[in-house]
């Protein structure tokens, strides 16, 4: 099975420069960014079955990742205005 990588820069390439800037200038963004990537790595391990968990747990992690991505995206949009 092919595992898709969901790091934020690949998910939102048009915001590459803003991501870099906000990571350095906004502590809250940096915290959410780091949390997003920790969860993403864990989900990738679950999908690769190197971290065995229930389907429910995997889905909960994916939902959390999506919520973080939504928050980060909103912050990126706001910074662009």
């Amino acid at each position: 099975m092919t595992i898709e990588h969901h790091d934020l820069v690949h998910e939102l390439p048009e915001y590459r420069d803003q991501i870099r800037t906000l990571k350095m200038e906004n502590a809250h963004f940096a915290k959410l960014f780091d949390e997003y990537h920790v969860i993403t790595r864990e989900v990738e391990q679950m999908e690769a079955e190197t971290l065995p968990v229930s389907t429910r747990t995997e889905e909960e992690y994916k939902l959390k990742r999506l919520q973080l991505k939504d928050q980060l995206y909103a912050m990126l949009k706001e910074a662009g205005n």
Side-chain angles (χ1 to χ4, degrees), residues 10-44:
H10 285 96
E11 290 287 305
L12 302 169
E14 66 276 19
Y15 290 101
R16 178 183 308 270
D17 293 335
Q18 285 173 281
I19 290 169
R20 185 177 307 114
T21 299
L22 281 175
K23 279 186 351 186
M24 292 185 298
E25 297 176 358
N26 184 316
H28 183 63
F29 182 90
K31 178 182 176 287
L32 294 177
F33 179 88
D34 290 343
E35 186 177 348
Y36 174 87
H37 282 88
V38 166
I39 289 175
T40 295
R41 281 191 299 275
E42 290 173 351
V43 167
E44 289 173 355

Side-chain angles (χ1 to χ4, degrees), residues 67-81:
Q67 292 168 340
L68 286 166
K69 182 179 172 185
D70 287 346
Q71 290 177 49
L72 290 162
Y73 179 67
M75 293 174 79
L76 288 164
K77 280 181 50 177
E78 180 67 30
N81 291 332

Side-chain angles (χ1 to χ4, degrees), residues 2-6 11 44 47 65:
T2 302
I3 305 299
E4 290 186 43
H5 297 287
H6 291 273
E11 290 287 305
E44 289 173 355
E47 290 175 339
R65 178 176 63 187

